[in-house]
Amino acid sequence: MLDRLDVLVIGECVADIVRLPGAADQVHPGGSPANVAYGLARLGGEATLLTQLGPDGDGRLIRDHLTAGGVRVCTDHSTAPTPSAAVTLDDGGRATYTFEITWTLAAAGSGPTHQHVHTGSIAAVMEPGAATVLDAVESSRTASTVSYDPNVRPELMGDHATAVRRVERCVALSDVVKASDEDLAWLYPGEEPEQIAARWQATGPALVLVTRGADGAFAVLPGGRVTIGALPTRVVDTVGAGDAFMSGTLHALASRGLLGADGRERLRAVDADTVTEVLRHAAASAAVTVARAGANPPDEAELKAALDRFRGGRPVV
């Protein structure tokens, strides 16, 4: 049972415009931080999203989607258009994105504290809004644990060296970091993911998790490293897979009392067996998501069924 995780997610919403040959465009609510907030709410968490939404049809679509899923949406009343991304899928369902986005998040002022704060993606690197995000994260660390997912979008990262410095600052502020092997390859070309993850973990986080697509995932923790293989599933598309992995991770950690200021020391002492279960939990969440169109993460019942099927030696979906 989830320990009713109270989480503040700070970051962008994006209207994902999925384009398939011979078919009309399909618009899905998206944006990595928004997807994480939605995934947490689906799993029983109390999720608040601090974001920007334009006064347009895409903004109304996204707000309605998030609110219906149980997310409390807070915006800074920006008049900029809602960010969008044209999503193209290859034959294997892998997504590539072309963005139209601005990020000018204004300071939200003081508000209630939250058990956990999550951020990442475009919001943590694109100025001028990134400065607001980092200030909010830094001011939250006393009362909250922090998680971060760089979710690298090369065309939006700006100067490479500057982007790396910003990512590393976010890593050092975090208790839990999740990245894909593709993220790490862009940030540190030619370096092994295991070496990067270990270096990141040494700068502050208790856990650094790395997803490797069909090759599974691994985590670096103070006592070493654990690895899991990929969970068997069929792939419709990969949109939102990493975000479902992130929300599944936070759900699993919260259910074990490892998040929040009072859980930080337990998180730093976490053992390999527990982290292995967390990875399986997160991978099952991602596996459900890739088996259906768009960023559509599981609810609690769907996640439990996926885990039961996997433990019984059957495909997740």
Side-chain angles (χ1 to χ4, degrees):
M1 178 65 68
L2 180 65
D3 184 27
R4 290 302 291 173
L5 173 63
D6 172 24
V7 59
L8 172 65
V9 180
I10 309 173
E12 75 275 3
C13 294
V14 178
D16 288 337
I17 306 168
V18 179
R19 292 177 174 157
L20 299 173
D25 289 353
Q26 299 179 24
V27 181
H28 297 284
S32 177
N35 291 341
V36 172
Y38 184 74
L40 286 167
R42 294 266 291 167
L43 292 172
E46 297 180 5
T48 299
L49 176 66
L50 176 59
T51 191
Q52 287 180 204
L53 287 172
D56 49 33
D58 287 343
R60 289 188 293 273
L61 171 72
I62 293 172
R63 184 186 290 274
D64 289 348
H65 164 76
L66 292 170
T67 301
V71 178
R72 179 173 178 260
V73 180
C74 299
T75 67
D76 66 353
H77 306 293
S78 170
T79 59
T82 299
S84 65
V87 184
T88 304
L89 304 176
D90 65 17
D91 292 340
R94 291 178 64 86
T96 56
Y97 299 82
T98 302
F99 292 92
E100 292 186 13
I101 181 170
T102 58
W103 179 244
T104 59
L105 187 71
S110 60
T113 59
H114 299 266
Q115 183 184 3
H116 185 80
V117 174
H118 173 78
T119 193
S121 193
I122 300 162
V125 295
M126 179 177 280
E127 295 293 3
T132 301
V133 174
L134 289 175
D135 286 347
V137 169
E138 287 181 324
S139 66
S140 299
R141 278 196 50 78
T142 301
S144 312
T145 43
V146 174
S147 58
Y148 170 65
D149 176 4
N151 191 46
V152 169
R153 300 299 185 217
E155 62 269 41
L156 299 174
M157 299 296 284
D159 174 72
H160 184 270
T162 301
V164 170
R165 287 195 297 270
R166 287 176 174 168
V167 167
E168 290 176 345
R169 182 182 175 195
C170 291
V171 168
L173 288 170
S174 300
D175 299 282
V176 179
V177 175
K178 172 260 166 191
S180 71
D181 53 0
E182 293 178 345
D183 294 335
L184 299 183
W186 186 86
L187 290 165
Y188 307 101
E191 293 193 45
E192 291 297 321
E194 294 84 357
Q195 295 175 341
I196 300 166
R199 187 168 70 243
W200 277 8
Q201 194 276 327
T203 67
L207 287 178
V208 176
L209 293 76
V210 178
T211 59
R212 310 191 78 166
D215 293 326
F218 70 87
V220 175
L221 59 154
R225 193 182 95 193
V226 297
T227 302
I228 64 165
L231 275 60
T233 189
R234 62 182 176 87
V235 177
V236 172
D237 70 48
T238 61
V239 177
D243 306 323
F245 190 99
M246 186 78 248
S247 57
T249 295
L250 298 178
H251 176 269
L253 292 171
S255 69
R256 291 161 174 80
L258 299 173
L259 293 182
D262 60 349
R264 181 172 277 131
E265 290 308 311
R266 290 191 295 275
L267 179 62
R268 296 195 175 279
V270 69
D271 60 81
D273 289 343
T274 299
V275 175
T276 299
E277 284 302 307
V278 169
L279 284 174
R280 287 175 177 155
H281 198 103
S285 178
V288 172
T289 303
V290 302
R292 50 201 190 190
N296 188 2
D299 61 21
E300 290 181 278
E302 290 170 328
L303 180 54
K304 182 180 184 301
L307 285 165
D308 288 346
R309 290 180 66 84
F310 175 62
R311 288 168 179 150
R314 294 169 292 165
V316 170
V317 290

